Amino acid sequence: GNASLELSSRPSAPAALNPWDVMLCVSGTAIACENALVVAIICYSPTLRTPMFVLVGSLATADLLAGLGLILNFVFQYVIRSETVSLLTVGFLVASFAASVSSLLAITVDRYLSLYNALTYYSERTVLCVHTMLAGAWGVSLCLGLLPVLGWNCLHDRAACSVVRPLTKSNVTLLSASFFLVFLIMLHLYIEICKIVCRHAHQIALQQHFLTASHYVATKKGVSTLAIILGTFGASWLPFAIYCVVGDPNYPSVYTYATLLPATYNSMINPIIYAYRNQEIQRSMWVLFCGCFQAKVSFCSRSPSDV
């Protein structure tokens, strides 16, 4: 009852199968399968080499690794019990989820730039900017993942443990603070994107002397989509991030599981929002799985802000 969640760091004594751990493993399997398909499609299709799809591929790769990490955590928790390997698994999970959140931020920045600098977006500068963002995102994520492995853990000091063992309280506080910062940046950028979209709709209305129903619907749909994206991200991660800060390691572990499991669902929803809704990826799926794509079917190229 009154024990915090432990990620593969329990003693070598046999452990009873925890239904919450099974759900995390099942969630990880679904995440890995979904995102492996996205990665395969992007790698298979030479046309999906634009900065927009590089970012989507980065997100899918990070979520794929997170799904594999959840599976490995289950295996090392119940099948192969090793303290050294468990720390590597914990670091792997931290790095993967951090890379997923960082990739979401990079996609948001790319969306903003595609609207704010629409005339210069399709240039070599954009490619360099995207690669720089991804290098920074994955570099920071790797550093965060290495912290538990390099000694920032509570295996030898139980008093320093957080609600997620073997991570220390200061470690999860750093991770939560990083998430809050990313969330606030994304919130600010999406507000700016909404302003740009509404301003464009107003300019079109002035040019045509009225705002047509189609323009109104498109604008409303665009703003609603942004709200859904940010709302899904916040609803998935905010409960866990808040609980990591305010929670006590003596609280029942069910509280940690109940907030961590929805956080994993974000990696399950990401492919649907950022990949499977895109018509170019849909076309590549037809080619990859059916080999019978009909040229007469129309697929319009979409801008980064439509992803």
mmCIF file of all heavy atoms in Angstrom, residues 276-301:
data_model
loop_
_atom_site.group_PDB
_atom_site.id
_atom_site.type_symbol
_atom_site.label_atom_id
_atom_site.label_comp_id
_atom_site.label_asym_id
_atom_site.label_seq_id
_atom_site.Cartn_x
_atom_site.Cartn_y
_atom_site.Cartn_z
ATOM 1 N N TYR A 276 -1.181 10.192 -38.684
ATOM 2 C CA TYR A 276 -2.207 9.487 -39.437
ATOM 3 C C TYR A 276 -3.251 10.411 -40.041
ATOM 4 O O TYR A 276 -3.940 10.029 -40.984
ATOM 5 C CB TYR A 276 -2.888 8.445 -38.546
ATOM 6 C CG TYR A 276 -1.957 7.328 -38.123
ATOM 7 C CD1 TYR A 276 -1.907 6.898 -36.798
ATOM 8 C CD2 TYR A 276 -1.114 6.712 -39.043
ATOM 9 C CE1 TYR A 276 -1.047 5.877 -36.406
ATOM 10 C CE2 TYR A 276 -0.252 5.702 -38.669
ATOM 11 C CZ TYR A 276 -0.220 5.287 -37.343
ATOM 12 O OH TYR A 276 0.628 4.284 -36.969
ATOM 13 N N ARG A 277 -3.391 11.625 -39.522
ATOM 14 C CA ARG A 277 -4.334 12.590 -40.096
ATOM 15 C C ARG A 277 -3.777 13.280 -41.328
ATOM 16 O O ARG A 277 -4.519 13.912 -42.077
ATOM 17 C CB ARG A 277 -4.720 13.639 -39.053
ATOM 18 C CG ARG A 277 -5.556 13.115 -37.913
ATOM 19 C CD ARG A 277 -5.802 14.178 -36.840
ATOM 20 N NE ARG A 277 -6.546 15.321 -37.360
ATOM 21 C CZ ARG A 277 -6.027 16.527 -37.533
ATOM 22 N NH1 ARG A 277 -4.752 16.758 -37.251
ATOM 23 N NH2 ARG A 277 -6.757 17.512 -37.998
ATOM 24 N N ASN A 278 -2.479 13.171 -41.536
ATOM 25 C CA ASN A 278 -1.845 13.839 -42.669
ATOM 26 C C ASN A 278 -2.074 13.047 -43.951
ATOM 27 O O ASN A 278 -1.858 11.837 -43.995
ATOM 28 C CB ASN A 278 -0.341 13.987 -42.403
ATOM 29 C CG ASN A 278 0.353 14.756 -43.503
ATOM 30 O OD1 ASN A 278 0.772 14.170 -44.496
ATOM 31 N ND2 ASN A 278 0.480 16.051 -43.347
ATOM 32 N N GLN A 279 -2.493 13.722 -45.005
ATOM 33 C CA GLN A 279 -2.878 13.034 -46.235
ATOM 34 C C GLN A 279 -1.681 12.431 -46.963
ATOM 35 O O GLN A 279 -1.829 11.408 -47.638
ATOM 36 C CB GLN A 279 -3.635 14.005 -47.151
ATOM 37 C CG GLN A 279 -4.992 14.413 -46.579
ATOM 38 C CD GLN A 279 -5.791 15.284 -47.529
ATOM 39 O OE1 GLN A 279 -5.274 15.747 -48.552
ATOM 40 N NE2 GLN A 279 -7.044 15.528 -47.203
ATOM 41 N N GLU A 280 -0.510 13.037 -46.847
ATOM 42 C CA GLU A 280 0.659 12.470 -47.501
ATOM 43 C C GLU A 280 1.089 11.161 -46.840
ATOM 44 O O GLU A 280 1.519 10.228 -47.505
ATOM 45 C CB GLU A 280 1.807 13.484 -47.488
ATOM 46 C CG GLU A 280 1.526 14.713 -48.346
ATOM 47 C CD GLU A 280 2.719 15.638 -48.427
ATOM 48 O OE1 GLU A 280 3.850 15.145 -48.492
ATOM 49 O OE2 GLU A 280 2.506 16.861 -48.413
ATOM 50 N N ILE A 281 0.958 11.089 -45.529
ATOM 51 C CA ILE A 281 1.249 9.836 -44.833
ATOM 52 C C ILE A 281 0.178 8.807 -45.150
ATOM 53 O O ILE A 281 0.474 7.607 -45.307
ATOM 54 C CB ILE A 281 1.359 10.080 -43.316
ATOM 55 C CG1 ILE A 281 2.665 10.839 -43.015
ATOM 56 C CG2 ILE A 281 1.316 8.768 -42.541
ATOM 57 C CD1 ILE A 281 2.941 11.044 -41.542
ATOM 58 N N GLN A 282 -1.073 9.232 -45.271
ATOM 59 C CA GLN A 282 -2.134 8.313 -45.675
ATOM 60 C C GLN A 282 -1.842 7.719 -47.052
ATOM 61 O O GLN A 282 -2.017 6.513 -47.269
ATOM 62 C CB GLN A 282 -3.475 9.046 -45.686
ATOM 63 C CG GLN A 282 -3.978 9.446 -44.307
ATOM 64 C CD GLN A 282 -5.228 10.291 -44.375
ATOM 65 O OE1 GLN A 282 -5.829 10.458 -45.445
ATOM 66 N NE2 GLN A 282 -5.636 10.845 -43.238
ATOM 67 N N ARG A 283 -1.369 8.559 -47.959
ATOM 68 C CA ARG A 283 -1.037 8.070 -49.294
ATOM 69 C C ARG A 283 0.118 7.081 -49.235
ATOM 70 O O ARG A 283 0.088 6.031 -49.887
ATOM 71 C CB ARG A 283 -0.658 9.251 -50.198
ATOM 72 C CG ARG A 283 -0.220 8.824 -51.593
ATOM 73 C CD ARG A 283 0.086 10.035 -52.457
ATOM 74 N NE ARG A 283 1.143 10.855 -51.883
ATOM 75 C CZ ARG A 283 1.541 12.012 -52.405
ATOM 76 N NH1 ARG A 283 0.942 12.496 -53.466
ATOM 77 N NH2 ARG A 283 2.508 12.690 -51.841
ATOM 78 N N SER A 284 1.134 7.384 -48.425
ATOM 79 C CA SER A 284 2.269 6.474 -48.280
ATOM 80 C C SER A 284 1.851 5.143 -47.666
ATOM 81 O O SER A 284 2.412 4.094 -47.987
ATOM 82 C CB SER A 284 3.353 7.133 -47.413
ATOM 83 O OG SER A 284 3.851 8.303 -48.037
ATOM 84 N N MET A 285 0.863 5.184 -46.766
ATOM 85 C CA MET A 285 0.346 3.942 -46.188
ATOM 86 C C MET A 285 -0.318 3.086 -47.250
ATOM 87 O O MET A 285 -0.152 1.854 -47.268
ATOM 88 C CB MET A 285 -0.635 4.250 -45.060
ATOM 89 C CG MET A 285 0.004 4.807 -43.806
ATOM 90 S SD MET A 285 -1.210 5.204 -42.522
ATOM 91 C CE MET A 285 -1.858 3.565 -42.169
ATOM 92 N N TRP A 286 -1.063 3.729 -48.148
ATOM 93 C CA TRP A 286 -1.680 2.984 -49.248
ATOM 94 C C TRP A 286 -0.606 2.302 -50.090
ATOM 95 O O TRP A 286 -0.725 1.132 -50.461
ATOM 96 C CB TRP A 286 -2.494 3.930 -50.127
ATOM 97 C CG TRP A 286 -3.889 4.172 -49.655
ATOM 98 C CD1 TRP A 286 -4.347 5.236 -48.936
ATOM 99 C CD2 TRP A 286 -5.022 3.326 -49.852
ATOM 100 N NE1 TRP A 286 -5.681 5.110 -48.663
ATOM 101 C CE2 TRP A 286 -6.131 3.949 -49.222
ATOM 102 C CE3 TRP A 286 -5.206 2.108 -50.503
ATOM 103 C CZ2 TRP A 286 -7.405 3.381 -49.230
ATOM 104 C CZ3 TRP A 286 -6.488 1.537 -50.514
ATOM 105 C CH2 TRP A 286 -7.553 2.183 -49.884
ATOM 106 N N VAL A 287 0.439 3.035 -50.418
ATOM 107 C CA VAL A 287 1.504 2.487 -51.250
ATOM 108 C C VAL A 287 2.239 1.375 -50.527
ATOM 109 O O VAL A 287 2.571 0.339 -51.103
ATOM 110 C CB VAL A 287 2.484 3.614 -51.654
ATOM 111 C CG1 VAL A 287 3.666 3.038 -52.419
ATOM 112 C CG2 VAL A 287 1.772 4.658 -52.489
ATOM 113 N N LEU A 288 2.502 1.577 -49.239
ATOM 114 C CA LEU A 288 3.281 0.617 -48.460
ATOM 115 C C LEU A 288 2.538 -0.693 -48.251
ATOM 116 O O LEU A 288 3.111 -1.773 -48.399
ATOM 117 C CB LEU A 288 3.644 1.225 -47.102
ATOM 118 C CG LEU A 288 4.479 0.352 -46.152
ATOM 119 C CD1 LEU A 288 5.837 0.043 -46.777
ATOM 120 C CD2 LEU A 288 4.658 1.056 -44.807
ATOM 121 N N PHE A 289 1.248 -0.619 -47.946
ATOM 122 C CA PHE A 289 0.517 -1.825 -47.574
ATOM 123 C C PHE A 289 -0.291 -2.432 -48.718
ATOM 124 O O PHE A 289 -0.483 -3.643 -48.769
ATOM 125 C CB PHE A 289 -0.431 -1.533 -46.406
ATOM 126 C CG PHE A 289 0.275 -1.270 -45.121
ATOM 127 C CD1 PHE A 289 0.336 0.011 -44.600
ATOM 128 C CD2 PHE A 289 0.920 -2.284 -44.439
ATOM 129 C CE1 PHE A 289 0.998 0.268 -43.420
ATOM 130 C CE2 PHE A 289 1.591 -2.031 -43.255
ATOM 131 C CZ PHE A 289 1.627 -0.764 -42.745
ATOM 132 N N CYS A 290 -0.759 -1.592 -49.623
ATOM 133 C CA CYS A 290 -1.613 -2.112 -50.692
ATOM 134 C C CYS A 290 -0.888 -2.211 -52.027
ATOM 135 O O CYS A 290 -1.149 -3.119 -52.807
ATOM 136 C CB CYS A 290 -2.858 -1.225 -50.847
ATOM 137 S SG CYS A 290 -3.855 -1.122 -49.340
ATOM 138 N N GLY A 291 -0.003 -1.255 -52.271
ATOM 139 C CA GLY A 291 0.677 -1.246 -53.560
ATOM 140 C C GLY A 291 -0.294 -0.992 -54.699
ATOM 141 O O GLY A 291 0.004 -1.283 -55.857
ATOM 142 N N CYS A 292 -1.462 -0.496 -54.363
ATOM 143 C CA CYS A 292 -2.498 -0.308 -55.388
ATOM 144 C C CYS A 292 -3.071 1.093 -55.326
ATOM 145 O O CYS A 292 -4.261 1.311 -55.499
ATOM 146 C CB CYS A 292 -3.610 -1.337 -55.202
ATOM 147 S SG CYS A 292 -4.378 -1.270 -53.564
ATOM 148 N N PHE A 293 -2.214 2.051 -55.035
ATOM 149 C CA PHE A 293 -2.677 3.438 -54.935
ATOM 150 C C PHE A 293 -3.159 3.929 -56.292
ATOM 151 O O PHE A 293 -2.479 3.787 -57.305
ATOM 152 C CB PHE A 293 -1.538 4.319 -54.440
ATOM 153 C CG PHE A 293 -1.885 5.780 -54.402
ATOM 154 C CD1 PHE A 293 -2.744 6.275 -53.436
ATOM 155 C CD2 PHE A 293 -1.372 6.641 -55.353
ATOM 156 C CE1 PHE A 293 -3.067 7.612 -53.404
ATOM 157 C CE2 PHE A 293 -1.692 7.986 -55.323
ATOM 158 C CZ PHE A 293 -2.540 8.455 -54.352
ATOM 159 N N GLN A 294 -4.342 4.478 -56.278
ATOM 160 C CA GLN A 294 -4.919 4.978 -57.513
ATOM 161 C C GLN A 294 -4.507 6.427 -57.726
ATOM 162 O O GLN A 294 -4.743 7.277 -56.881
ATOM 163 C CB GLN A 294 -6.454 4.885 -57.443
ATOM 164 C CG GLN A 294 -6.959 3.459 -57.230
ATOM 165 C CD GLN A 294 -6.623 2.567 -58.410
ATOM 166 O OE1 GLN A 294 -6.609 3.021 -59.553
ATOM 167 N NE2 GLN A 294 -6.353 1.294 -58.144
ATOM 168 N N ALA A 295 -3.885 6.698 -58.858
ATOM 169 C CA ALA A 295 -3.387 8.050 -59.132
ATOM 170 C C ALA A 295 -4.515 9.069 -59.208
ATOM 171 O O ALA A 295 -4.315 10.250 -58.990
ATOM 172 C CB ALA A 295 -2.604 8.056 -60.448
ATOM 173 N N LYS A 296 -5.719 8.585 -59.507
ATOM 174 C CA LYS A 296 -6.836 9.528 -59.650
ATOM 175 C C LYS A 296 -7.315 10.066 -58.309
ATOM 176 O O LYS A 296 -8.060 11.049 -58.264
ATOM 177 C CB LYS A 296 -7.994 8.849 -60.380
ATOM 178 C CG LYS A 296 -8.584 7.668 -59.614
ATOM 179 C CD LYS A 296 -9.709 7.026 -60.414
ATOM 180 C CE LYS A 296 -10.307 5.827 -59.659
ATOM 181 N NZ LYS A 296 -11.384 5.208 -60.442
ATOM 182 N N VAL A 297 -6.915 9.391 -57.196
ATOM 183 C CA VAL A 297 -7.309 9.884 -55.884
ATOM 184 C C VAL A 297 -6.493 11.119 -55.563
ATOM 185 O O VAL A 297 -5.279 11.128 -55.691
ATOM 186 C CB VAL A 297 -7.093 8.806 -54.812
ATOM 187 C CG1 VAL A 297 -7.517 9.343 -53.442
ATOM 188 C CG2 VAL A 297 -7.893 7.561 -55.155
ATOM 189 N N SER A 298 -7.159 12.171 -55.152
ATOM 190 C CA SER A 298 -6.489 13.452 -54.926
ATOM 191 C C SER A 298 -6.021 13.575 -53.481
ATOM 192 O O SER A 298 -6.806 13.401 -52.559
ATOM 193 C CB SER A 298 -7.446 14.604 -55.255
ATOM 194 O OG SER A 298 -6.867 15.843 -54.947
ATOM 195 N N PHE A 299 -4.713 13.855 -53.342
ATOM 196 C CA PHE A 299 -4.142 14.161 -52.043
ATOM 197 C C PHE A 299 -3.435 15.493 -52.145
ATOM 198 O O PHE A 299 -2.489 15.635 -52.926
ATOM 199 C CB PHE A 299 -3.126 13.088 -51.610
ATOM 200 C CG PHE A 299 -3.758 11.803 -51.183
ATOM 201 C CD1 PHE A 299 -4.025 10.803 -52.096
ATOM 202 C CD2 PHE A 299 -4.076 11.606 -49.858
ATOM 203 C CE1 PHE A 299 -4.593 9.612 -51.685
ATOM 204 C CE2 PHE A 299 -4.660 10.403 -49.439
ATOM 205 C CZ PHE A 299 -4.915 9.418 -50.349
ATOM 206 N N CYS A 300 -3.897 16.465 -51.415
ATOM 207 C CA CYS A 300 -3.322 17.803 -51.491
ATOM 208 C C CYS A 300 -2.158 17.902 -50.534
ATOM 209 O O CYS A 300 -2.227 17.410 -49.399
ATOM 210 C CB CYS A 300 -4.360 18.861 -51.121
ATOM 211 S SG CYS A 300 -5.791 18.855 -52.242
ATOM 212 N N SER A 301 -1.085 18.554 -50.969
ATOM 213 C CA SER A 301 0.031 18.803 -50.084
ATOM 214 C C SER A 301 -0.390 19.775 -49.002
ATOM 215 O O SER A 301 -1.078 20.767 -49.263
ATOM 216 C CB SER A 301 1.202 19.392 -50.881
ATOM 217 O OG SER A 301 2.281 19.668 -50.015
#
